[in-house]
Amino acid sequence: MKIFQQNTEFDYSWEEVSTSNWQKYGPWNEKTPHVVAVDTLSRNVDPETGILRTERLITCKQSAPRWLNQFLGGQDTSVVYETSYVDPANKKVTMCSMNLTWNDLLSVRETCTYSPVSSAPNAKTLFHQRAEVTAFCGGWQKIKSKIEEMTVERFQQNAAKGREGFEMVLEMSRKVFAEQRELLRLQQDSQILKQAQI
Amino acid sequence: MSASLAPECNQVKERYDNCFLKWYSEKYLRGSATTDECASLFKQYEQCLSKALKDKGIDKMIKDARDDNRENDAEHMRPKR
């Protein structure tokens, strides 16, 4: 088993980050074209704890090296199952994901969290990411290690792109929310806009 | 918002995603969510999606993943004090 982990901070509040997180792979993010679809499978709020649980299916275009892809069966997309838990009382988002494609050969289990940075809880958010990669293929220790290594390398590359892409989403989202607030303010002041019901 | 893996579900998915995002930012995070006002849109989206998942054989993979995920549910559905 190999482990990849990293911490990174975003200069946005936890509320902004946790909202934009739902749009992370949308059109505002130009850095993660390998994520081709994100579907919601179920969603519910626990009445006792207030925790929002969401199940999603994330579809990725295959970016594994060709030799590895052929070894794994040559499919062009892979799917990841993710459950996320938003705990608004404790201001914490936890996302757990696992690969559904090739999971008899390779297990990738990832846990990510978003929580306020303790030194600036209203302005900064900490992102923690940890992934455990385990390859299963009989006694072929060398191939096993190589697959694990390459998967971790891929994680490193995608983590950097993921951060850049998410920064784009956060920036756009802040802009759009500001515009909406401005429009609302204008609407309240203007009779014509009020009638137009924008 | 992102596309659906089933292109025929994109339209209803977008309507649901927009509804959810508004609810999440304006109500849920502010502690004023009482009902799930996006439920009927979700139902439409789910109907469309579940058919596609079945056709692609992904529904069985999801079922197994749910079983595998029980530990995460047990850990994270309980808030840390």
Side-chain angles (χ1 to χ4, degrees):
Chain A
M1 182 179 79
K2 287 198 171 51
I3 292 172
F4 168 75
Q5 56 182 335
Q6 64 140 357
N7 280 325
T8 180
E9 281 182 21
F10 292 98
D11 288 337
Y12 292 84
S13 69
W14 180 82
E15 284 78 4
E16 283 177 283
V17 170
S18 92
T19 301
S20 291
N21 182 46
W22 300 116
Q23 297 171 287
K24 181 170 176 181
Y25 299 111
W28 292 340
N29 182 343
E30 294 167 12
K31 301 283 177 180
T32 54
H34 63 283
V35 179
V36 292
V38 179
D39 283 284
T40 303
L41 300 170
S42 79
R43 185 167 262 151
N44 56 282
V45 178
D46 185 296
E48 269 173 49
T49 60
I51 292 176
L52 174 71
R53 178 183 184 271
T54 303
E55 283 183 301
R56 298 196 299 180
L57 193 71
I58 298 163
T59 309
C60 303
K61 220 181 346 194
Q62 213 22 257
S63 60
R66 192 186 287 172
W67 72 267
L68 181 56
N69 195 18
Q70 270 167 2
F71 181 80
L72 294 171
Q75 281 157 288
D76 59 350
T77 58
S78 59
V79 279
V80 171
Y81 170 80
E82 176 204 79
T83 42
S84 63
Y85 311 87
V86 180
D87 182 352
N90 293 293
K91 293 200 179 184
K92 190 172 184 187
V93 177
T94 308
M95 291 171 283
C96 305
S97 59
M98 61 175 102
N99 59 309
L100 298 191
T101 312
W102 308 326
N103 58 2
D104 47 346
L105 288 164
L106 181 73
S107 154
V108 182
R109 290 196 169 232
E110 184 190 42
T111 303
C112 297
T113 59
Y114 288 110
S115 49
V117 171
S118 48
S119 60
N122 296 317
K124 288 185 180 189
T125 302
L126 175 73
F127 174 62
H128 173 72
Q129 179 183 27
R130 179 192 158 92
E132 292 177 3
V133 177
T134 314
F136 326 101
C137 35
W140 298 4
Q141 192 54 47
K142 256 191 187 162
I143 292 190
K144 231 158 87 170
S145 290
K146 189 74 191 162
I147 291 175
E148 290 176 356
E149 222 170 86
M150 299 201 69
T151 309
V152 167
E153 267 171 39
R154 193 59 60 154
F155 249 94
Q156 259 152 355
Q157 292 159 4
N158 284 345
K161 282 188 222 155
R163 196 214 143 88
E164 281 175 48
F166 194 35
E167 286 278 2
M168 298 168 94
V169 176
L170 286 162
E171 200 186 318
M172 270 306 282
S173 179
R174 185 177 273 185
K175 229 186 259 174
V176 168
F177 271 115
E179 277 168 13
Q180 278 174 353
R181 270 198 304 274
E182 178 66 11
L183 193 66
L184 210 67
R185 195 185 62 77
L186 283 171
Q187 205 172 350
Q188 275 155 5
D189 294 348
S190 151
Q191 219 34 58
I192 296 170
L193 280 172
K194 222 182 243 172
Q195 283 161 3
Q197 297 260 322
I198 300 170
Chain B
M1 288 291 187
S2 314
S4 171
L5 70 96
E8 66 274 21
C9 307
N10 274 340
Q11 232 175 7
V12 61
K13 175 191 190 304
E14 196 184 332
R15 281 209 300 273
Y16 168 69
D17 280 345
N18 289 337
C19 178
F20 166 73
L21 201 64
K22 200 168 150 59
W23 172 84
Y24 183 84
S25 58
E26 292 176 10
K27 299 202 171 149
Y28 178 72
L29 283 186
R30 294 178 190 177
S32 60
T34 46
T35 52
D36 185 0
E37 53 215 59
C38 308
S40 70
L41 283 173
F42 185 73
K43 213 169 192 170
Q44 291 173 39
Y45 166 43
E46 191 184 29
Q47 259 174 11
C48 182
L49 183 66
S50 64
K51 194 181 172 300
L53 293 177
K54 210 170 177 180
D55 291 348
K56 290 173 195 276
I58 300 175
D59 56 337
K60 287 190 190 74
M61 293 158 104
I62 293 171
K63 199 175 165 291
D64 292 343
R66 278 184 178 138
D67 291 339
D68 269 2
N69 193 53
R70 293 228 169 100
E71 267 175 50
N72 285 328
D73 282 333
E75 188 182 344
H76 302 295
M77 285 307 283
R78 224 166 285 137
K80 305 258 179 330
R81 298 279 175 222

